[in-house]
Amino acid sequence: MTARRRGAGHVPLASPGPAAPTAPAKAAVPTALTRMVATAALALAPLLALTACTDSLAPTVGAGTVTSTAGTSTQPSATPAPTPTPPPSPTPAPPPFRLALDPGHNGKNAENPRIINTPVPDGRGGTKACNTVGTSTRSGYPEHEFNFDVATRMLPILRDAGIDVVMSRADNDGIGPCVNERGTFAADANADALLSIHANGSASSRPHGFFLMITSDADATTKNFATHIIDGLSDAGFAINTAAGSTQPRRDIAGLNHATVPAVLVELGEMRNPEHADLTSWPSIVRVKIWYGLWAGLSVATSMTFAPSSGASSSDSYFASLSSP
């Protein structure tokens, strides 16, 4: 019989001699239990190793890498798609300049004296007649017709220039409106400025030429607005009035007193002067010059718009520019 070789984990053969005392039976229980635990551990080792490997593969929050028990592997995390930047909202165009155009008097005023003589506030603490019939040439051509003709012929010209126009009266066959309403209608219509169209009727036939009226306490904005109208008419070949000059500051013009926007009244000619009677009673080339002169002055004035400041309209910026010297 071949003897067993010694090796790790093996018990050496006992040498001959007296027999060793027999260990109590209960001493063998721990040995048997130990072997059972060892055997179970060996059986569960692969499962425990797999569990440990699985746990080590859990991502580390915020690290941006993935770690395993087999080694450390750094991989870039997925880059989220960039959020598209919405295109900038287009800047809204400023509203067009709105002009309140007031052709003086009206066709039925003369037939309704009770109405047009009714007192209305004059804007200075007193009263004034609602309206008047206006003047006329010596041949009978009435001012109210001239005023309305000029205003209505100006409408397409001004609108083609990008100016929004509102009128104080829609025809030449009515009464009024009263002078206080002619001043307030500009603000009621959200207009940026008021231009009142008239022709003068001096008692003498000698004065000739045009002139403007503004309130006696007009601010720099209104004065500069009037200057553009004067320049436009002058460039069209019209002479400044020989008696009144270019501008008359007045306190008694109720329409101007009631206006809360820059307002001017233009007397386009002297209807009692024989030369002016010709141009006011017939739509000749001279009448075309009137339209051109008013258009030129208004176009220069209303084109002076700048980038509005916060909360300001284009007209606010325009009138702010007029206020400077």
Side-chain angles (χ1 to χ4, degrees):
M1 180 175 181
T2 305
R4 292 181 65 183
R5 297 180 58 188
R6 297 187 179 205
H10 293 275
V11 180
L13 295 176
S15 60
T22 304
K26 65 178 180 181
V29 174
T31 303
L33 179 60
T34 301
R35 289 175 180 172
M36 291 175 62
V37 171
T39 302
L42 290 174
L44 293 174
L47 181 59
L48 294 173
L50 179 60
T51 304
C53 182
T54 304
D55 292 342
S56 68
L57 290 177
T60 302
V61 177
T65 61
V66 178
T67 305
S68 72
T69 57
T72 302
S73 175
T74 303
Q75 299 178 359
S77 58
T79 303
T83 303
T85 303
S89 300
T91 302
F97 189 97
R98 176 169 288 183
L99 176 69
L101 197 56
D102 172 38
H105 312 290
N106 210 331
K108 297 294 185 181
N109 282 4
E111 301 173 22
N112 295 272
R114 184 182 61 82
I115 296 176
I116 66 169
N117 288 324
T118 302
V120 297
D122 67 356
R124 296 284 183 179
T127 60
K128 197 167 187 177
C130 165
N131 213 301
T132 63
V133 297
T135 188
S136 63
T137 65
R138 295 188 181 279
S139 62
Y141 180 69
E143 181 195 356
H144 63 79
E145 185 174 332
F146 168 75
N147 298 340
F148 191 72
D149 180 74
V150 170
T152 52
R153 290 176 187 266
M154 284 295 298
L155 279 176
I157 301 172
L158 295 174
R159 287 171 176 164
D160 286 347
I163 299 173
D164 187 14
V165 184
V166 291
M167 297 266 286
S168 63
R169 56 187 176 104
D171 53 47
N172 193 43
D173 196 34
I175 308 168
C178 293
V179 288
N180 58 326
E181 295 171 339
R182 289 176 185 266
T184 58
F185 105 95
D188 293 342
N190 295 317
D192 298 299
L194 169 64
L195 177 63
S196 189
I197 304 293
H198 286 260
N200 202 33
S202 296
S204 171
S205 61
R206 297 184 61 184
H208 67 278
F210 75 92
F211 67 97
L212 270 65
M213 296 181 188
I214 57 176
T215 59
S216 57
D217 55 356
D219 58 15
T221 298
T222 301
K223 291 177 182 177
N224 282 301
F225 183 54
T227 297
H228 289 298
I229 305 301
I230 294 169
D231 290 345
L233 289 170
S234 297
D235 291 344
F238 288 93
I240 291 173
N241 194 279
T242 55
S246 64
T247 310
Q248 273 194 353
R250 301 276 290 267
R251 290 180 54 87
D252 60 329
I253 307 299
L256 299 180
N257 291 340
H258 281 278
T260 56
V261 299
V264 299
L265 184 153
V266 57
E267 299 280 8
L268 287 169
E270 292 283 355
M271 298 194 82
R272 302 293 176 85
N273 183 292
E275 295 178 4
H276 283 214
D278 290 339
L279 69 93
T280 54
S281 60
W282 186 256
S284 63
I285 187 61
V286 181
R287 183 80 67 93
V288 173
K289 287 185 177 181
I290 293 177
W291 307 328
Y292 171 78
L294 290 174
W295 169 83
L298 288 167
S299 295
V300 170
T302 58
S303 65
M304 293 180 60
T305 55
F306 302 93
S309 58
S310 177
S313 68
S314 60
S315 59
D316 291 333
S317 299
Y318 157 64
F319 283 121
S321 72
L322 288 187
S323 298
S324 58

